[in-house]
Amino acid sequence: MTETLVASQSKETIIGFDRPFTVIGERINPTGRKKLAAEMNEGNFETVIADALAQAAAGAMILDVNAGVTAVDPNKTEPPLMRQTIEIVQNTVDLPLCIDSSVPSALEAGLEVAKGRPLVNSVTGEEDRLEVILPLIKKYDVPVVAISNDETGISEDPDVRFEVAKKIVEHAMDYGIKPHDIVVDPLVMPIGAMGTAGQQVFALVRRLREELKVNTTCGASNISFGMPNRRVLTGHFLAMAASHGMTSAIMNPLHDEDMHAIFAANVLNGTDKDCRAWTSKFRPPLAEGQESARGARGGRRRRRG
Amino acid sequence: MTETLVASQSKETIIGFDRPFTVIGERINPTGRKKLAAEMNEGNFETVIADALAQAAAGAMILDVNAGVTAVDPNKTEPPLMRQTIEIVQNTVDLPLCIDSSVPSALEAGLEVAKGRPLVNSVTGEEDRLEVILPLIKKYDVPVVAISNDETGISEDPDVRFEVAKKIVEHAMDYGIKPHDIVVDPLVMPIGAMGTAGQQVFALVRRLREELKVNTTCGASNISFGMPNRRVLTGHFLAMAASHGMTSAIMNPLHDEDMHAIFAANVLNGTDKDCRAWTSKFRPPLAEGQESARGARGGRRRRRG
């Protein structure tokens, strides 16, 4: 029954074993989006605002915010841009945020301005990262994504990745951070490059849940990198991972394939109570006769009022 | 590494733990298809033939054949109609068949005419069924679908359903039938009526595979009975069940949602070697320039020839 509380100023999202799967919207991220990077560099946040609104409307429950517009001197450029982007996003939508950077000072800049209880993305198993990020997590009392790689890189052996995750959880506990505030990313490899990538994630997610009792997340679309018909493959990966106990993903809520997979997984994992979310999303529209009957009733009621 | 061999006169399909998921086409079944029932009753097999061809073209690996056109005196009507339908289907397509009936004499009629090594669908845990069907299975040396209900009906308790499956496997062994020739159907309930139906199947499939070491199947579309947007829900159910180790399903290969789920599950479970089936199905068509370049080369080659 592990639960990770993430919050904006007034809205809570709980990532949890018995909760509907948590959709973390991935769009506000200039990595690989040259146009967005250029806009953000120029102080133009129109796309950021549009992406925030669109993802919220599509059902995102947390918004990832990344401000990595340049590889040149990110220690200087990223903190102020992260601060500004967070402020703009939280003035646009009232959703919990995920502060996403590999630059510790950018994470801290985001933490200084983010309202509520943001999720920090991320810490790895590298010693110098642990020593810098975990004190921040403790200081701000926020949850953190733990990526299961370390100084040796990303192991192809899932047992090694499990041990790295375990090491991060233990280090965090030394700082007084509870396992329920660690959301482990077991690392999703492209299936086109590593044929066991799917099975590895499914097995790792089960172990992380049963043995470490932590919530899990991943960058879902990595699985289909380089493959044709990526969206359908990513969608099914999400449903399969969820059925093995994955509790959240950084994904694209604007892709119907992703969202339908999440809705279906919630139904089939028993976290969509009485299938209410599914039926309200997909209930067929009323036929014309029914519509006009309803209209007539409404009309009568209005005439009475 | 359990493998169940099913065969037509010249074609083999192996249901197996490390094999691509086996698609058993469900269409040749007059249950709930009044028009088809009426046609078959009149000796008109046009729809049967069209369904056989369409399912084979869509990627079915085994064709289910059911001839239950009436509830009135099926012991008299069903055996000859099963015989005739099997003969017509195996003259139409060279695919292994699944002889589907609740009437033992219809199963035997089908077994008499089916070429190769058909799958028999089904035996239940009811004592009188076991005593009639298992000797047939032994006599014809064919595999059988074992449905995990018995005299007490379908238990809502998955542990009871597991025990029924175990009882059938043990009874079969008493007859000299090997567990690899038993394909267990753990029974799929409509998720709209029982919110735990998905989780039950996933857990049962894992136990049946790990403890009884048997292949599994199900009537996949049951899961979405009564729900809106059934196809998407059934598709994701198939991928999720496959990721827990289900090895076959009686399903509709004419539904893209079902088949895309199977293709994706094979990729993600590592049974689509080098993702070849996926890439060959979904590789984007060549752009116009590439097409004409290819045409030009073809043209030059033809001129040389």
Side-chain angles (χ1 to χ4, degrees), chain B residues 254-268:
Chain B
L254 307 180
H255 287 176
D256 279 348
E257 293 85 350
D258 284 24
M259 291 304 280
H260 292 186
I262 297 307
F263 273 81
N266 288 340
V267 167
L268 296 164

Side-chain angles (χ1 to χ4, degrees), chain A residues 72-133:
Chain A
V72 185
D73 207 1
N75 288 307
K76 192 178 152 211
T77 59
E78 212 174 309
L81 190 58
M82 176 64 90
R83 195 185 315 260
Q84 196 179 2
T85 310
I86 295 263
E87 284 178 331
I88 284 163
V89 172
Q90 68 191 0
N91 285 333
T92 303
V93 293
D94 185 17
L95 274 183
L97 302 182
C98 176
I99 306 171
D100 181 3
S101 179
S102 55
V103 177
S105 55
L107 292 178
E108 178 144 35
L111 283 166
E112 282 164 9
V113 294
K115 296 172 184 165
R117 193 169 198 257
L119 177 61
V120 167
N121 186 8
S122 56
V123 68
T124 68
E126 295 158 285
E127 292 294 337
D128 59 341
R129 290 274 144 180
L130 290 166
E131 280 167 34
V132 174
I133 311 284

Side-chain angles (χ1 to χ4, degrees), chain A residues 191-192 195-199 202 206 210 223 227-230 232-233 235-244 257 260-271 275 278-279 282-284, chain B residues 191-192 195-199 202 206 210 223 227-230 232-233 235-244 257 260-271 275 278-279 282-284:
Chain A
I191 192 85
T196 56
Q199 295 157 283
F202 306 149
R206 282 206 308 277
E210 287 163 15
I223 195 75
M227 297 282 279
N229 202 7
R230 283 191 71 171
V232 167
L233 193 57
H236 285 293
F237 169 73
L238 277 166
M240 292 163 87
S243 88
H244 287 275
E257 294 85 349
H260 291 186
I262 297 308
F263 272 82
N266 287 340
V267 167
L268 296 164
N269 290 333
T271 56
C275 310
W278 181 274
T279 46
F282 294 114
R283 190 186 294 125
Chain B
I191 191 86
T196 56
Q199 295 157 284
F202 307 149
R206 283 207 308 276
E210 286 163 16
I223 195 75
M227 296 282 279
N229 201 7
R230 283 190 71 172
V232 168
L233 193 57
H236 285 292
F237 169 74
L238 278 165
M240 292 162 89
S243 88
H244 287 274
E257 293 85 350
H260 292 186
I262 297 307
F263 273 81
N266 288 340
V267 167
L268 296 164
N269 290 333
T271 57
C275 309
W278 181 274
T279 46
F282 294 114
R283 191 186 294 125

Side-chain angles (χ1 to χ4, degrees), chain B residues 206-226:
Chain B
R206 283 207 308 276
R207 280 194 75 188
L208 289 163
R209 183 170 175 137
E210 286 163 16
E211 297 178 37
L212 292 190
K213 305 194 192 309
V214 290
N215 278 309
T216 42
T217 196
C218 72
S221 67
N222 278 359
I223 195 75
S224 61
F225 181 79

Side-chain angles (χ1 to χ4, degrees), chain A residues 12 42 70 77 87 107 151 163 187 193 199 221 247 269:
Chain A
E12 291 183 352
E42 290 163 9
T70 170
T77 59
E87 284 178 331
L107 292 178
E151 289 81 0
E163 289 306 322
L187 281 164
Q199 295 157 283
S221 66
T247 46
N269 290 333

